[in-house]
PDB file of all heavy atoms in Angstrom:
ATOM      1  N   SER A 505     -20.608  20.139  14.108  1.00  0.00           N
ATOM      2  CA  SER A 505     -20.205  18.788  13.773  1.00  0.00           C
ATOM      3  C   SER A 505     -18.764  18.809  13.281  1.00  0.00           C
ATOM      4  O   SER A 505     -18.423  19.601  12.403  1.00  0.00           O
ATOM      5  CB  SER A 505     -21.097  18.204  12.676  1.00  0.00           C
ATOM      6  OG  SER A 505     -22.444  18.110  13.134  1.00  0.00           O
ATOM      7  N   GLU A 506     -17.956  17.900  13.803  1.00  0.00           N
ATOM      8  CA  GLU A 506     -16.538  17.852  13.427  1.00  0.00           C
ATOM      9  C   GLU A 506     -16.361  17.078  12.109  1.00  0.00           C
ATOM     10  O   GLU A 506     -17.003  16.037  11.899  1.00  0.00           O
ATOM     11  CB  GLU A 506     -15.686  17.197  14.528  1.00  0.00           C
ATOM     12  CG  GLU A 506     -14.198  17.244  14.240  1.00  0.00           C
ATOM     13  CD  GLU A 506     -13.342  16.761  15.372  1.00  0.00           C
ATOM     14  OE1 GLU A 506     -13.907  16.189  16.333  1.00  0.00           O
ATOM     15  OE2 GLU A 506     -12.119  16.979  15.319  1.00  0.00           O
ATOM     16  N   VAL A 507     -15.517  17.560  11.250  1.00  0.00           N
ATOM     17  CA  VAL A 507     -15.206  16.877  10.006  1.00  0.00           C
ATOM     18  C   VAL A 507     -13.665  16.703   9.930  1.00  0.00           C
ATOM     19  O   VAL A 507     -12.904  17.361  10.653  1.00  0.00           O
ATOM     20  CB  VAL A 507     -15.700  17.684   8.760  1.00  0.00           C
ATOM     21  CG1 VAL A 507     -17.191  17.868   8.860  1.00  0.00           C
ATOM     22  CG2 VAL A 507     -14.969  18.999   8.622  1.00  0.00           C
ATOM     23  N   LEU A 508     -13.254  15.810   9.047  1.00  0.00           N
ATOM     24  CA  LEU A 508     -11.835  15.526   8.852  1.00  0.00           C
ATOM     25  C   LEU A 508     -11.548  15.527   7.373  1.00  0.00           C
ATOM     26  O   LEU A 508     -12.107  14.687   6.645  1.00  0.00           O
ATOM     27  CB  LEU A 508     -11.430  14.205   9.507  1.00  0.00           C
ATOM     28  CG  LEU A 508      -9.973  13.807   9.407  1.00  0.00           C
ATOM     29  CD1 LEU A 508      -9.110  14.793  10.210  1.00  0.00           C
ATOM     30  CD2 LEU A 508      -9.751  12.380   9.941  1.00  0.00           C
ATOM     31  N   SER A 509     -10.741  16.423   6.894  1.00  0.00           N
ATOM     32  CA  SER A 509     -10.440  16.551   5.472  1.00  0.00           C
ATOM     33  C   SER A 509      -9.005  16.141   5.193  1.00  0.00           C
ATOM     34  O   SER A 509      -8.139  16.160   6.083  1.00  0.00           O
ATOM     35  CB  SER A 509     -10.611  17.991   4.987  1.00  0.00           C
ATOM     36  OG  SER A 509     -11.910  18.448   5.299  1.00  0.00           O
ATOM     37  N   TYR A 510      -8.732  15.742   3.963  1.00  0.00           N
ATOM     38  CA  TYR A 510      -7.374  15.449   3.548  1.00  0.00           C
ATOM     39  C   TYR A 510      -6.565  16.763   3.573  1.00  0.00           C
ATOM     40  O   TYR A 510      -7.079  17.831   3.194  1.00  0.00           O
ATOM     41  CB  TYR A 510      -7.316  14.866   2.118  1.00  0.00           C
ATOM     42  CG  TYR A 510      -7.750  13.442   2.047  1.00  0.00           C
ATOM     43  CD1 TYR A 510      -8.903  13.067   1.342  1.00  0.00           C
ATOM     44  CD2 TYR A 510      -6.999  12.442   2.680  1.00  0.00           C
ATOM     45  CE1 TYR A 510      -9.317  11.722   1.262  1.00  0.00           C
ATOM     46  CE2 TYR A 510      -7.389  11.119   2.611  1.00  0.00           C
ATOM     47  CZ  TYR A 510      -8.521  10.756   1.910  1.00  0.00           C
ATOM     48  OH  TYR A 510      -8.900   9.459   1.828  1.00  0.00           O
ATOM     49  N   ARG A 547      -1.807  21.833   2.471  1.00  0.00           N
ATOM     50  CA  ARG A 547      -2.654  22.941   2.753  1.00  0.00           C
ATOM     51  C   ARG A 547      -1.977  23.987   3.640  1.00  0.00           C
ATOM     52  O   ARG A 547      -1.157  23.640   4.511  1.00  0.00           O
ATOM     53  CB  ARG A 547      -3.956  22.497   3.426  1.00  0.00           C
ATOM     54  CG  ARG A 547      -3.747  21.944   4.819  1.00  0.00           C
ATOM     55  CD  ARG A 547      -5.027  21.320   5.353  1.00  0.00           C
ATOM     56  NE  ARG A 547      -4.823  20.728   6.678  1.00  0.00           N
ATOM     57  CZ  ARG A 547      -5.703  19.939   7.287  1.00  0.00           C
ATOM     58  NH1 ARG A 547      -6.869  19.672   6.696  1.00  0.00           N
ATOM     59  NH2 ARG A 547      -5.453  19.455   8.499  1.00  0.00           N
ATOM     60  N   THR A 549      -4.158  26.519   4.774  1.00  0.00           N
ATOM     61  CA  THR A 549      -5.348  26.972   5.461  1.00  0.00           C
ATOM     62  C   THR A 549      -6.348  25.826   5.483  1.00  0.00           C
ATOM     63  O   THR A 549      -6.352  24.984   4.589  1.00  0.00           O
ATOM     64  CB  THR A 549      -5.975  28.192   4.756  1.00  0.00           C
ATOM     65  OG1 THR A 549      -7.269  28.447   5.304  1.00  0.00           O
ATOM     66  CG2 THR A 549      -6.120  27.971   3.258  1.00  0.00           C
ATOM     67  N   LEU A 550      -7.160  25.798   6.538  1.00  0.00           N
ATOM     68  CA  LEU A 550      -8.158  24.712   6.637  1.00  0.00           C
ATOM     69  C   LEU A 550      -9.418  24.960   5.840  1.00  0.00           C
ATOM     70  O   LEU A 550     -10.225  24.046   5.657  1.00  0.00           O
ATOM     71  CB  LEU A 550      -8.584  24.560   8.131  1.00  0.00           C
ATOM     72  CG  LEU A 550      -7.491  24.158   9.128  1.00  0.00           C
ATOM     73  CD1 LEU A 550      -8.097  24.040  10.541  1.00  0.00           C
ATOM     74  CD2 LEU A 550      -6.850  22.829   8.748  1.00  0.00           C
ATOM     75  N   LEU A 551      -9.604  26.169   5.305  1.00  0.00           N
ATOM     76  CA  LEU A 551     -10.883  26.525   4.705  1.00  0.00           C
ATOM     77  C   LEU A 551     -11.239  25.729   3.473  1.00  0.00           C
ATOM     78  O   LEU A 551     -12.399  25.340   3.322  1.00  0.00           O
ATOM     79  CB  LEU A 551     -10.898  28.045   4.385  1.00  0.00           C
ATOM     80  CG  LEU A 551     -10.924  28.957   5.607  1.00  0.00           C
ATOM     81  CD1 LEU A 551     -10.872  30.409   5.219  1.00  0.00           C
ATOM     82  CD2 LEU A 551     -12.183  28.673   6.446  1.00  0.00           C
ATOM     83  N   PRO A 552     -10.337  25.443   2.503  1.00  0.00           N
ATOM     84  CA  PRO A 552     -10.793  24.701   1.339  1.00  0.00           C
ATOM     85  C   PRO A 552     -11.429  23.354   1.646  1.00  0.00           C
ATOM     86  O   PRO A 552     -12.485  23.022   1.098  1.00  0.00           O
ATOM     87  CB  PRO A 552      -9.508  24.534   0.504  1.00  0.00           C
ATOM     88  CG  PRO A 552      -8.641  25.654   0.928  1.00  0.00           C
ATOM     89  CD  PRO A 552      -8.935  25.850   2.367  1.00  0.00           C
ATOM     90  N   GLY A 553     -10.831  22.569   2.511  1.00  0.00           N
ATOM     91  CA  GLY A 553     -11.388  21.287   2.860  1.00  0.00           C
ATOM     92  C   GLY A 553     -12.718  21.433   3.534  1.00  0.00           C
ATOM     93  O   GLY A 553     -13.661  20.656   3.283  1.00  0.00           O
ATOM     94  N   LEU A 554     -12.836  22.433   4.413  1.00  0.00           N
ATOM     95  CA  LEU A 554     -14.097  22.671   5.144  1.00  0.00           C
ATOM     96  C   LEU A 554     -15.199  23.097   4.147  1.00  0.00           C
ATOM     97  O   LEU A 554     -16.341  22.628   4.256  1.00  0.00           O
ATOM     98  CB  LEU A 554     -13.873  23.707   6.193  1.00  0.00           C
ATOM     99  CG  LEU A 554     -14.938  23.817   7.299  1.00  0.00           C
ATOM    100  CD1 LEU A 554     -15.018  22.521   8.078  1.00  0.00           C
ATOM    101  CD2 LEU A 554     -14.585  24.972   8.208  1.00  0.00           C
ATOM    102  N   LEU A 555     -14.880  23.935   3.201  1.00  0.00           N
ATOM    103  CA  LEU A 555     -15.885  24.426   2.261  1.00  0.00           C
ATOM    104  C   LEU A 555     -16.291  23.318   1.294  1.00  0.00           C
ATOM    105  O   LEU A 555     -17.495  23.201   0.933  1.00  0.00           O
ATOM    106  CB  LEU A 555     -15.314  25.605   1.429  1.00  0.00           C
ATOM    107  CG  LEU A 555     -14.961  26.854   2.271  1.00  0.00           C
ATOM    108  CD1 LEU A 555     -14.426  27.960   1.350  1.00  0.00           C
ATOM    109  CD2 LEU A 555     -16.147  27.357   3.051  1.00  0.00           C
ATOM    110  N   ARG A 556     -15.340  22.456   0.881  1.00  0.00           N
ATOM    111  CA  ARG A 556     -15.721  21.340   0.026  1.00  0.00           C
ATOM    112  C   ARG A 556     -16.615  20.363   0.757  1.00  0.00           C
ATOM    113  O   ARG A 556     -17.575  19.782   0.196  1.00  0.00           O
ATOM    114  CB  ARG A 556     -14.478  20.618  -0.483  1.00  0.00           C
ATOM    115  CG  ARG A 556     -13.755  21.356  -1.612  1.00  0.00           C
ATOM    116  CD  ARG A 556     -12.758  20.427  -2.316  1.00  0.00           C
ATOM    117  NE  ARG A 556     -11.705  19.989  -1.435  1.00  0.00           N
ATOM    118  CZ  ARG A 556     -10.550  20.599  -1.237  1.00  0.00           C
ATOM    119  NH1 ARG A 556     -10.291  21.723  -1.917  1.00  0.00           N
ATOM    120  NH2 ARG A 556      -9.617  20.123  -0.428  1.00  0.00           N
ATOM    121  N   THR A 557     -16.332  20.120   2.044  1.00  0.00           N
ATOM    122  CA  THR A 557     -17.197  19.256   2.834  1.00  0.00           C
ATOM    123  C   THR A 557     -18.613  19.815   2.957  1.00  0.00           C
ATOM    124  O   THR A 557     -19.610  19.082   2.863  1.00  0.00           O
ATOM    125  CB  THR A 557     -16.594  19.021   4.242  1.00  0.00           C
ATOM    126  OG1 THR A 557     -15.274  18.481   4.094  1.00  0.00           O
ATOM    127  CG2 THR A 557     -17.439  18.099   5.072  1.00  0.00           C
ATOM    128  N   ALA A 558     -18.683  21.128   3.180  1.00  0.00           N
ATOM    129  CA  ALA A 558     -20.009  21.766   3.253  1.00  0.00           C
ATOM    130  C   ALA A 558     -20.781  21.626   1.948  1.00  0.00           C
ATOM    131  O   ALA A 558     -21.959  21.310   1.940  1.00  0.00           O
ATOM    132  CB  ALA A 558     -19.833  23.237   3.619  1.00  0.00           C
ATOM    133  N   ALA A 559     -20.058  21.831   0.793  1.00  0.00           N
ATOM    134  CA  ALA A 559     -20.728  21.688  -0.494  1.00  0.00           C
ATOM    135  C   ALA A 559     -21.225  20.267  -0.702  1.00  0.00           C
ATOM    136  O   ALA A 559     -22.312  20.040  -1.244  1.00  0.00           O
ATOM    137  CB  ALA A 559     -19.776  22.098  -1.581  1.00  0.00           C
ATOM    138  N   ARG A 560     -20.455  19.269  -0.244  1.00  0.00           N
ATOM    139  CA  ARG A 560     -20.841  17.863  -0.390  1.00  0.00           C
ATOM    140  C   ARG A 560     -22.107  17.574   0.400  1.00  0.00           C
ATOM    141  O   ARG A 560     -23.025  16.875  -0.025  1.00  0.00           O
ATOM    142  CB  ARG A 560     -19.685  16.968   0.018  1.00  0.00           C
ATOM    143  CG  ARG A 560     -19.861  15.508  -0.359  1.00  0.00           C
ATOM    144  CD  ARG A 560     -18.636  14.688   0.014  1.00  0.00           C
ATOM    145  NE  ARG A 560     -17.422  15.204  -0.558  1.00  0.00           N
ATOM    146  CZ  ARG A 560     -16.406  15.742   0.091  1.00  0.00           C
ATOM    147  NH1 ARG A 560     -16.469  15.824   1.407  1.00  0.00           N
ATOM    148  NH2 ARG A 560     -15.351  16.213  -0.559  1.00  0.00           N
ATOM    149  N   ASN A 561     -22.197  18.145   1.625  1.00  0.00           N
ATOM    150  CA  ASN A 561     -23.358  17.923   2.445  1.00  0.00           C
ATOM    151  C   ASN A 561     -24.573  18.632   1.848  1.00  0.00           C
ATOM    152  O   ASN A 561     -25.701  18.086   1.923  1.00  0.00           O
ATOM    153  CB  ASN A 561     -23.099  18.439   3.874  1.00  0.00           C
ATOM    154  CG  ASN A 561     -22.337  17.426   4.698  1.00  0.00           C
ATOM    155  OD1 ASN A 561     -22.898  16.568   5.358  1.00  0.00           O
ATOM    156  ND2 ASN A 561     -20.987  17.512   4.632  1.00  0.00           N
ATOM    157  N   LEU A 569     -25.951  24.036   8.153  1.00  0.00           N
ATOM    158  CA  LEU A 569     -24.662  23.446   8.523  1.00  0.00           C
ATOM    159  C   LEU A 569     -23.977  24.254   9.602  1.00  0.00           C
ATOM    160  O   LEU A 569     -24.006  25.488   9.602  1.00  0.00           O
ATOM    161  CB  LEU A 569     -23.750  23.384   7.300  1.00  0.00           C
ATOM    162  CG  LEU A 569     -24.253  22.540   6.126  1.00  0.00           C
ATOM    163  CD1 LEU A 569     -23.334  22.754   4.921  1.00  0.00           C
ATOM    164  CD2 LEU A 569     -24.292  21.076   6.487  1.00  0.00           C
ATOM    165  N   ALA A 570     -23.343  23.535  10.530  1.00  0.00           N
ATOM    166  CA  ALA A 570     -22.416  24.119  11.485  1.00  0.00           C
ATOM    167  C   ALA A 570     -21.283  23.106  11.631  1.00  0.00           C
ATOM    168  O   ALA A 570     -21.426  22.109  12.332  1.00  0.00           O
ATOM    169  CB  ALA A 570     -23.097  24.396  12.818  1.00  0.00           C
ATOM    170  N   LEU A 571     -20.185  23.350  10.945  1.00  0.00           N
ATOM    171  CA  LEU A 571     -19.079  22.391  10.878  1.00  0.00           C
ATOM    172  C   LEU A 571     -17.828  23.019  11.457  1.00  0.00           C
ATOM    173  O   LEU A 571     -17.623  24.216  11.438  1.00  0.00           O
ATOM    174  CB  LEU A 571     -18.808  22.025   9.384  1.00  0.00           C
ATOM    175  CG  LEU A 571     -19.988  21.555   8.544  1.00  0.00           C
ATOM    176  CD1 LEU A 571     -19.517  21.279   7.127  1.00  0.00           C
ATOM    177  CD2 LEU A 571     -20.605  20.289   9.131  1.00  0.00           C
ATOM    178  N   PHE A 572     -16.948  22.127  11.945  1.00  0.00           N
ATOM    179  CA  PHE A 572     -15.646  22.615  12.394  1.00  0.00           C
ATOM    180  C   PHE A 572     -14.586  21.550  12.136  1.00  0.00           C
ATOM    181  O   PHE A 572     -14.898  20.330  12.049  1.00  0.00           O
ATOM    182  CB  PHE A 572     -15.656  23.028  13.872  1.00  0.00           C
ATOM    183  CG  PHE A 572     -15.557  21.875  14.853  1.00  0.00           C
ATOM    184  CD1 PHE A 572     -14.341  21.462  15.382  1.00  0.00           C
ATOM    185  CD2 PHE A 572     -16.692  21.192  15.256  1.00  0.00           C
ATOM    186  CE1 PHE A 572     -14.242  20.443  16.281  1.00  0.00           C
ATOM    187  CE2 PHE A 572     -16.635  20.156  16.143  1.00  0.00           C
ATOM    188  CZ  PHE A 572     -15.402  19.765  16.679  1.00  0.00           C
ATOM    189  N   GLU A 573     -13.343  21.970  12.006  1.00  0.00           N
ATOM    190  CA  GLU A 573     -12.231  21.057  11.822  1.00  0.00           C
ATOM    191  C   GLU A 573     -11.028  21.606  12.549  1.00  0.00           C
ATOM    192  O   GLU A 573     -10.774  22.853  12.510  1.00  0.00           O
ATOM    193  CB  GLU A 573     -11.896  20.881  10.337  1.00  0.00           C
ATOM    194  CG  GLU A 573     -10.727  19.954  10.097  1.00  0.00           C
ATOM    195  CD  GLU A 573     -10.468  19.675   8.593  1.00  0.00           C
ATOM    196  OE1 GLU A 573     -11.135  20.296   7.785  1.00  0.00           O
ATOM    197  OE2 GLU A 573      -9.588  18.831   8.325  1.00  0.00           O
ATOM    198  N   THR A 574     -10.265  20.768  13.179  1.00  0.00           N
ATOM    199  CA  THR A 574      -8.981  21.116  13.746  1.00  0.00           C
ATOM    200  C   THR A 574      -7.893  20.322  13.046  1.00  0.00           C
ATOM    201  O   THR A 574      -8.109  19.154  12.689  1.00  0.00           O
ATOM    202  CB  THR A 574      -8.929  20.842  15.272  1.00  0.00           C
ATOM    203  OG1 THR A 574      -9.144  19.441  15.497  1.00  0.00           O
ATOM    204  CG2 THR A 574      -9.974  21.661  16.017  1.00  0.00           C
ATOM    205  N   VAL A 615      -7.963  25.864  13.967  1.00  0.00           N
ATOM    206  CA  VAL A 615      -9.345  25.451  14.043  1.00  0.00           C
ATOM    207  C   VAL A 615     -10.148  26.321  13.117  1.00  0.00           C
ATOM    208  O   VAL A 615      -9.913  27.552  13.071  1.00  0.00           O
ATOM    209  CB  VAL A 615      -9.875  25.447  15.484  1.00  0.00           C
ATOM    210  CG1 VAL A 615      -9.734  26.850  16.089  1.00  0.00           C
ATOM    211  CG2 VAL A 615     -11.335  25.010  15.540  1.00  0.00           C
ATOM    212  N   ALA A 616     -11.041  25.740  12.314  1.00  0.00           N
ATOM    213  CA  ALA A 616     -11.889  26.509  11.432  1.00  0.00           C
ATOM    214  C   ALA A 616     -13.320  26.075  11.638  1.00  0.00           C
ATOM    215  O   ALA A 616     -13.602  24.888  11.895  1.00  0.00           O
ATOM    216  CB  ALA A 616     -11.496  26.286   9.958  1.00  0.00           C
ATOM    217  N   VAL A 617     -14.229  27.047  11.535  1.00  0.00           N
ATOM    218  CA  VAL A 617     -15.665  26.821  11.741  1.00  0.00           C
ATOM    219  C   VAL A 617     -16.404  27.431  10.556  1.00  0.00           C
ATOM    220  O   VAL A 617     -16.043  28.508  10.066  1.00  0.00           O
ATOM    221  CB  VAL A 617     -16.154  27.443  13.058  1.00  0.00           C
ATOM    222  CG1 VAL A 617     -17.647  27.239  13.251  1.00  0.00           C
ATOM    223  CG2 VAL A 617     -15.378  26.872  14.239  1.00  0.00           C
ATOM    224  N   LEU A 618     -17.419  26.715  10.085  1.00  0.00           N
ATOM    225  CA  LEU A 618     -18.315  27.241   9.016  1.00  0.00           C
ATOM    226  C   LEU A 618     -19.764  27.116   9.474  1.00  0.00           C
ATOM    227  O   LEU A 618     -20.170  26.059   9.973  1.00  0.00           O
ATOM    228  CB  LEU A 618     -18.105  26.415   7.717  1.00  0.00           C
ATOM    229  CG  LEU A 618     -19.089  26.749   6.604  1.00  0.00           C
ATOM    230  CD1 LEU A 618     -18.642  28.008   5.880  1.00  0.00           C
ATOM    231  CD2 LEU A 618     -19.226  25.611   5.606  1.00  0.00           C
ATOM    232  N   VAL A 619     -20.529  28.186   9.280  1.00  0.00           N
ATOM    233  CA  VAL A 619     -21.960  28.150   9.574  1.00  0.00           C
ATOM    234  C   VAL A 619     -22.693  28.647   8.331  1.00  0.00           C
ATOM    235  O   VAL A 619     -22.277  29.620   7.673  1.00  0.00           O
ATOM    236  CB  VAL A 619     -22.317  29.022  10.797  1.00  0.00           C
ATOM    237  CG1 VAL A 619     -21.791  28.374  12.062  1.00  0.00           C
ATOM    238  CG2 VAL A 619     -21.760  30.437  10.665  1.00  0.00           C
ATOM    239  N   TYR A 694     -18.282  27.677  -4.358  1.00  0.00           N
ATOM    240  CA  TYR A 694     -18.483  26.415  -3.658  1.00  0.00           C
ATOM    241  C   TYR A 694     -19.948  25.998  -3.559  1.00  0.00           C
ATOM    242  O   TYR A 694     -20.253  24.917  -3.025  1.00  0.00           O
ATOM    243  CB  TYR A 694     -17.879  26.472  -2.251  1.00  0.00           C
ATOM    244  CG  TYR A 694     -16.356  26.438  -2.251  1.00  0.00           C
ATOM    245  CD1 TYR A 694     -15.629  27.593  -2.179  1.00  0.00           C
ATOM    246  CD2 TYR A 694     -15.669  25.235  -2.388  1.00  0.00           C
ATOM    247  CE1 TYR A 694     -14.218  27.557  -2.181  1.00  0.00           C
ATOM    248  CE2 TYR A 694     -14.308  25.211  -2.393  1.00  0.00           C
ATOM    249  CZ  TYR A 694     -13.578  26.362  -2.308  1.00  0.00           C
ATOM    250  OH  TYR A 694     -12.211  26.342  -2.318  1.00  0.00           O
ATOM    251  N   LEU A 696     -22.439  27.474  -1.791  1.00  0.00           N
ATOM    252  CA  LEU A 696     -22.928  27.546  -0.422  1.00  0.00           C
ATOM    253  C   LEU A 696     -24.131  28.478  -0.323  1.00  0.00           C
ATOM    254  O   LEU A 696     -24.358  29.320  -1.222  1.00  0.00           O
ATOM    255  CB  LEU A 696     -21.814  28.020   0.501  1.00  0.00           C
ATOM    256  CG  LEU A 696     -20.517  27.204   0.498  1.00  0.00           C
ATOM    257  CD1 LEU A 696     -19.498  27.868   1.437  1.00  0.00           C
ATOM    258  CD2 LEU A 696     -20.767  25.770   0.928  1.00  0.00           C
ATOM    259  N   SER A 701     -20.835  31.982   6.661  1.00  0.00           N
ATOM    260  CA  SER A 701     -19.769  32.650   7.448  1.00  0.00           C
ATOM    261  C   SER A 701     -18.800  31.629   7.967  1.00  0.00           C
ATOM    262  O   SER A 701     -19.146  30.428   8.133  1.00  0.00           O
ATOM    263  CB  SER A 701     -20.415  33.451   8.605  1.00  0.00           C
ATOM    264  OG  SER A 701     -21.290  34.421   8.076  1.00  0.00           O
ATOM    265  N   ALA A 702     -17.599  32.113   8.277  1.00  0.00           N
ATOM    266  CA  ALA A 702     -16.539  31.190   8.713  1.00  0.00           C
ATOM    267  C   ALA A 702     -15.599  31.905   9.645  1.00  0.00           C
ATOM    268  O   ALA A 702     -15.520  33.137   9.662  1.00  0.00           O
ATOM    269  CB  ALA A 702     -15.786  30.629   7.512  1.00  0.00           C
ATOM    270  N   VAL A 703     -14.848  31.113  10.385  1.00  0.00           N
ATOM    271  CA  VAL A 703     -13.775  31.606  11.243  1.00  0.00           C
ATOM    272  C   VAL A 703     -12.605  30.662  11.163  1.00  0.00           C
ATOM    273  O   VAL A 703     -12.780  29.429  11.014  1.00  0.00           O
ATOM    274  CB  VAL A 703     -14.284  31.754  12.735  1.00  0.00           C
ATOM    275  CG1 VAL A 703     -14.766  30.422  13.241  1.00  0.00           C
ATOM    276  CG2 VAL A 703     -13.163  32.296  13.617  1.00  0.00           C
TER     277      VAL A 703
END
Side-chain angles (χ1 to χ4, degrees):
S505 298
E506 186 172 12
V507 303
L508 182 64
S509 304
Y510 285 116
R547 67 187 178 192
T549 169
L550 298 180
L551 290 178
L554 197 61
L555 298 181
R556 283 195 297 268
T557 302
R560 192 176 303 113
N561 280 270
L569 299 172
L571 309 176
F572 79 95
E573 179 176 6
T574 59
V615 57
V617 178
L618 173 79
V619 290
Y694 286 99
L696 303 178
S701 301
V703 58

